[in-house]
Each structure stands twice: as C-alpha cells, then as structure tokens.
Amino acid sequence: MTKKTESPRPEARLPKGLQDISSAEIRATEAMLGTIRSVFERYGFEPLDTPAIEYTDALGKFLPDQDRPNEGVFSFQDDDEQWLSLRYDLTAPLARYVAENFQSLPKPFRRYQAGPVWRNEKPGPGRFRQFMQFDADTVGAPSVAADAELCMLAADTLEALGIPRGDYVVKVNNRKVLDGVLESIGLGGEENAAKRLAVLRAIDKLDRLGMEGVEALLGKGRKDESGDYTKGADLAPDQIASVLAAISEGEMKLGDLGTAATGIGGEGLEELTGIAALIAAAGYADRIKIDPTVVRGLSYYTGPVFEAELTAPITDERGLEIRLGSVVSGGRYDGLVERFTGEKVPATGISVGVSRLLFGLQLLGKFKGDAVRGPVVVLVFDKDRLADYQKMVQALRNANIRAELYLGSSGMKAQMKYADRRGAPCVVIQGGDEKQRGEVQIKDLVLGAGLTAIEDREEYLKKQAEAQFAVPEADLVAAVRRVLDRHKSRSLVLSPYASSLPGLTRQSIPLAFTRSSEVTAWMPGSSPGMTSKR
C-alpha cells in the first residue's frame, strides 16, 4: 500500500517586480494624490476612470522594450479568444475612450486620472512591473499653448508638493527636431522608421547610461552589468557623431541645430520657439528649459515632449547619491486617437510618476505624510462580557473616533502589547469591579510611555494619575476625546482620510494601490522608483 502523496505547500513569495504596500505608505500616497489633484482641478481638468484591462489591439504597440514577452505588456485571452492586456499607461486607454465618445465630448476635452499600470519588463533596482501614474491630458487642442500649459502644470504641481524653485527643472524638446536631424543623415522615410525608433529609444536611456552607453546603443549594441545584450540601431560612425552632437548635455539655444532648421525639423524649432515665448510670458522661464536630451521612449509622440527632474542631491540610506530620473513626463501624441477614427485629433498630456516622486520627496525629507495613530482599543477583561465591550466600541465609533474591540484570545498582558503595536493612543478597560461601580478605566499609552523618563517623584505621580484614570461609563466618549486632544499633533479622530484632502475621492485611488511607472515604482525604504507614463 503506497502512502498518499501530499501536495507541496506553496511558497509565500511576491512575484518579481511587485511590492506590498503598508498602511503608512498608502496614507502618504493618498495625501500626495490629494495635493496633485487639487492643482489639476485648479487648471480645469476633470476626472475620468478607465478600466485596467483593454483589448490588446486598442492599446497598440508603443512600448520601448520590444524584446520583452508580449512586447512589454501582460496579455491573456478571454472565453471568446479575444486578446486582452493590462494597461501599460493611462494614455492609450484615453485615446480609445475619446474615439468611442468623440461626438459627446466637449472639445478640447481635459481630463485627469490616477491609477496603477503594468509593464512586462525586466525588474531591477527601482524598476517595478506595477506602478501608479497620475495623468492630465488635453485632447482637441492643436496649439502649442496646450503643451506650454502642461509644462507649467508640472512646475506648479512640484511646488505644491514642497519642492522649491531651484530644486527641480522642467525640460522641453520636440520630436520633430530630432526627426529633422535624422533626415539630414539619411534616416528619413518609412523604410527607416524602425531605425529611427531604435535611435529614439537609445537616446531616452541617456540619464541612466550616459553618452557612452547611448553611443553603444546607436552602434552595434550594448551588454549591461547582468550580461544581457541589447541590440543597437547599427548607425555608421558619422551618423552616430551627428546624433550625439544634437543631444549634447545642456540647455539648447533654438538656433543651434542648423541641420534641423528646415522641413520637419524647422516645424519643431518653430513650435519650441512658441512654447518658450509662452513660458516666458507666464513667468516660468526660470524653471522650464529647452533641452535636446529629452525624447521620451514611447513611440506615439509626434511633437513637443517634456519631463521634470529633481535637481537637489538625493542620497539613499547608505549615503550614495541617486539619480532619480524623471518624476513627471509627457508630450504630444496627435496620431493616437487617429488609429481609431482615421481623423487626426491633436492631443497632449503629462504623467506624474507618483511612486518615484514620493520616494524622492521622502529621501529629501520634504514629504512624510501625516502621522496617524492607531485606533483606541477596548480590551476584553471578561470574555463572557463581549456584548458590553462591543457596546463601548460602537459608542466611540458613533462619535467619529477610530476604535476597535480586541478580538484575539490572549490575556491582558498580551492585549496591552497588541494595543502598543497597533499604535493605539489609549485603551479602555472594564473589569468586574469597574462594572459594579459603573466605571471604565482609560489608560493613555502615549503619556504612559514617557513616565520612565521622569525623575521627579511628584511630577511622576501627577503624570501617572493623568496616564490612567477612571470615569463613569457614561463619560467614556468625552474622556477618550480628552486623551486624543492631548495628543492632537497626530491624527487620532476618524475623519475618512480622503475627505480631509482637497478633491480626493475613493474613486481617484483605484485598488488602493496596486501599483507602480515606466516600470518602476516607489517604495519608501526601497530603491528609486518609477518613471512616469509616457
């Protein structure tokens, strides 16, 4: 007789490139989203929420890393054998929505949206497969005034989050300018589309790989530290030299690129001149700069492209300096809606890389979010009196105070440890004697924690009396509120977090943060998070 083979236990492990999110991180992100939303609302953008899953052909093939499975997206077939994919950004679903509802939408159509996106890319330090983006887009506005406005929106958003002028820069370029350069070196025409795209994707890695790395990708290719090989654009040495000259580091003067001054390149320079004039007139010229190194990796851009970086030095927990990359990015994509309608519909947008930006802000000490204590805990002294204790908890909740009943099976000592680990400001205790007298004991855990540091006996006894005291059961709510008021510097009363933040709603935070941006996501205490959409 053979023994029955038991099924192996599954290993408790996260899939690569994904992260769990703690309550503190969620609260910090909610607060940050509330600030971003308030700025976007001030600019007149309206909320929209599109599904996390779209038909694969609706999303299109625009991702930079074409060598990944499913070309960078997570895809599956439904029962009808239709291919579906998790969205890789919030822009492609917007294009589908606009095409589907074009006749009923106001033109221009201005929307914002926050939500998680997914990329089937190789995970690594600071690069995650799920991350959060917060986008603002204007559809139906051909003028570069819409692009200039988004650059100003990016600047205002960063300042609203506590980043002072001088500690960030918004950089602007135009895809048409680089197209002009590529035409001048013989890479024009549809037959060279793939090679032009390879050049753009090589340049987009400039902030991570430097000029030497980009030069390798413009040539035969490059092997990274892990041994993985990326095929290059296979340009000739003189072509590589022309491209590198066009993207040399530093602010670009609009007359510098003579090879781009005609044809498509001339159009790009003219648009950049218009953006520069609008930015100067609005008083943003000190924060928004023309920069030839900005190209963005997604292939659907057709004109101005922009990204914002934090310029203040950022170091990790080991003191090593980190280059965080872009925390806001975007550009014009006039052909994306046209894929559905056959008619050109101008569109432009930006995306805030929520996770990466929060990570950077926390490293800079500029954004910690509000400290939120745990709930008041009602302890269970007599297990046969659960109904009495539940009544106390409900009285506190009805008074809008965060409260919970201890639901475990441990004794009083373990219950006190539980309340301490929960960060409870105080506990409520009622044994048989207190019940007989119609009283409850309130123990202030915050005040009690500081008693051991008091050396003066009289002061100690006074504080001890304040840290634990009895009140009539009818005064429970008032007594607990006095304890909470004593420590009001930290949020103790339950006012649903979202309602206390400007414009923040439950709907604006889908999935309470299934996460991540251009495949990286934040995580405080982790590696530098994400790039933004685009």
Side-chain angles (χ1 to χ4, degrees):
M1 184 175 174
T2 58
K3 286 187 178 180
K4 187 177 178 181
T5 305
E6 291 186 8
S7 300
R9 292 177 180 170
E11 185 180 348
R13 56 178 182 152
L14 268 174
K16 288 181 180 179
L18 302 178
Q19 292 209 354
D20 295 317
I21 308 156
S22 70
S23 61
E25 292 162 349
I26 290 173
R27 285 193 171 100
T29 305
E30 286 178 349
M32 182 176 173
L33 291 178
T35 300
I36 296 170
R37 177 174 175 146
S38 67
V39 179
F40 284 16
E41 290 266 3
R42 196 164 72 235
Y43 270 69
F45 291 92
E46 299 289 344
L48 174 71
D49 198 11
T50 55
I53 298 172
E54 297 273 353
Y55 284 113
T56 301
D57 60 350
L59 291 177
K61 300 176 181 179
F62 299 105
L63 284 175
D65 293 336
Q66 296 286 337
D67 57 334
R68 299 301 301 164
N70 300 320
E71 295 186 336
V73 299
F74 289 101
S75 300
F76 59 94
Q77 279 184 297
D78 64 10
D79 292 341
D80 298 327
E81 297 187 351
Q82 296 284 312
W83 277 99
L84 300 167
S85 296
L86 287 170
R87 64 191 180 200
Y88 58 77
D89 71 2
L90 301 177
T91 309
L94 171 66
R96 187 269 308 158
Y97 174 84
V98 170
E100 199 171 6
N101 300 278
F102 191 76
Q103 298 305 321
S104 62
L105 294 176
K107 282 52 157 216
F109 175 59
R110 296 159 69 81
R111 86 84 164 91
Y112 68 80
Q113 180 175 352
V117 299
W118 294 264
R119 304 274 175 89
N120 189 5
E121 297 181 358
K122 181 181 177 181
R127 292 180 64 82
F128 298 94
R129 287 173 164 170
Q130 180 183 323
F131 48 93
M132 172 161 279
Q133 295 180 336
F134 202 144
D135 290 13
D137 294 79
T138 300
V139 182
S143 169
V144 293
D147 304 287
E149 180 186 66
L150 289 173
C151 293
M152 292 183 250
L153 174 63
D156 287 347
T157 299
L158 293 176
E159 291 189 22
L161 290 169
I163 304 171
R165 296 181 194 183
D167 281 358
Y168 72 89
V169 63
V170 181
K171 302 184 290 187
V172 189
N173 195 15
N174 196 307
R175 277 282 185 88
K176 295 175 182 176
V177 174
L178 190 56
D179 285 343
V181 172
L182 296 180
E183 281 185 2
S184 74
I185 60 173
L187 295 182
E190 191 59 35
E191 68 276 12
N192 288 308
K195 187 160 282 196
R196 287 199 302 273
L197 189 55
V199 171
L200 292 174
R201 288 170 174 160
I203 298 170
D204 192 45
K205 295 179 171 65
L206 179 63
D207 63 336
R208 285 196 292 118
L209 305 181
M211 280 293 199
E212 187 176 331
V214 171
E215 184 174 2
L217 290 175
L218 291 174
K220 297 298 182 183
R222 176 182 179 274
K223 184 182 288 188
D224 65 21
E225 294 80 359
S226 69
D228 287 351
Y229 183 80
T230 303
K231 188 177 182 303
D234 204 20
L235 301 188
D238 60 328
Q239 292 175 315
I240 293 174
S242 295
V243 173
L244 294 178
I247 63 165
S248 57
E249 292 273 11
E251 187 178 350
M252 180 172 70
K253 304 294 185 295
L254 291 177
D256 285 351
L257 297 176
T259 54
T262 58
I264 189 71
E267 286 180 30
L269 289 174
E270 186 177 341
E271 289 174 1
L272 283 176
T273 301
I275 291 173
L278 290 166
I279 287 168
Y284 285 76
D286 59 331
R287 292 159 277 167
I288 303 174
K289 308 291 184 183
I290 307 299
D291 190 315
T293 66
V294 179
V295 297
R296 306 305 306 150
L298 294 175
S299 62
Y300 54 55
Y301 290 121
T302 59
V305 285
F306 20 86
E307 58 187 34
E309 286 188 8
L310 306 184
T311 56
I314 298 175
T315 56
D316 62 16
E317 62 276 4
R318 296 168 297 173
L320 300 175
E321 190 164 337
I322 296 171
R323 183 161 186 179
L324 204 59
S326 62
V327 293
V328 185
S329 60
R332 180 164 286 275
Y333 50 96
D334 287 350
L336 211 49
V337 179
E338 184 183 7
R339 295 177 58 242
F340 301 96
T341 64
E343 298 178 15
K344 195 171 288 293
V345 178
T348 185
I350 63 165
S351 178
V352 178
V354 174
S355 300
R356 171 175 286 189
L357 179 54
L358 179 59
F359 179 79
L361 290 172
Q362 289 177 324
L363 287 180
L364 290 170
K366 295 183 182 296
F367 192 91
K368 297 181 175 64
D370 292 333
V372 178
R373 285 203 179 277
V376 174
V377 178
V378 176
L379 305 185
V380 177
F381 196 90
D382 298 316
K383 289 184 171 59
D384 58 350
R385 291 183 46 235
L386 282 175
D388 291 341
Y389 299 130
Q390 187 66 65
K391 184 179 176 182
M392 295 178 198
V393 171
Q394 205 54 45
L396 293 169
R397 291 171 180 165
N398 290 341
N400 211 29
I401 294 172
R402 293 187 71 205
E404 70 167 86
L405 174 65
Y406 176 75
L407 297 174
S409 57
S410 300
M412 288 301 291
K413 186 174 181 180
Q415 290 186 46
M416 287 296 296
K417 283 186 177 179
Y418 170 81
D420 187 54
R421 292 189 70 176
R422 291 283 283 124
C426 63
V427 296
V428 178
I429 307 168
Q430 189 187 61
D433 292 344
E434 287 87 6
K435 176 65 176 175
Q436 212 168 27
R437 293 194 298 268
E439 295 178 343
V440 291
Q441 289 276 340
I442 311 292
K443 185 167 181 129
D444 184 333
L445 299 184
V446 180
L447 205 57
L451 287 177
T452 54
I454 300 175
E455 296 180 1
D456 181 79
R457 185 172 183 277
E458 287 188 15
E459 178 69 11
Y460 177 85
L461 293 174
K462 179 185 173 185
K463 291 294 184 185
Q464 187 182 46
E466 293 176 2
Q468 184 164 349
F469 55 93
V471 297
E473 193 171 337
D475 294 341
L476 168 65
V477 170
V480 168
R481 201 176 289 283
R482 284 197 301 273
V483 172
L484 303 189
D485 288 344
R486 186 185 289 164
H487 311 294
K488 205 147 194 169
S489 61
R490 305 182 92 173
S491 191
L492 300 169
V493 177
L494 176 66
S495 53
Y497 206 86
S499 68
S500 67
L501 297 168
L504 189 62
T505 66
R506 184 183 186 87
Q507 207 174 21
S508 73
I509 315 167
L511 307 183
F513 311 144
T514 41
R515 156 110 34 288
S516 307
S517 181
E518 198 173 315
V519 161
T520 20
W522 132 68
M523 290 292 134
S526 170
S527 302
M530 52 188 274
T531 359
S532 40
K533 110 180 170 188
R534 316 173 162 193

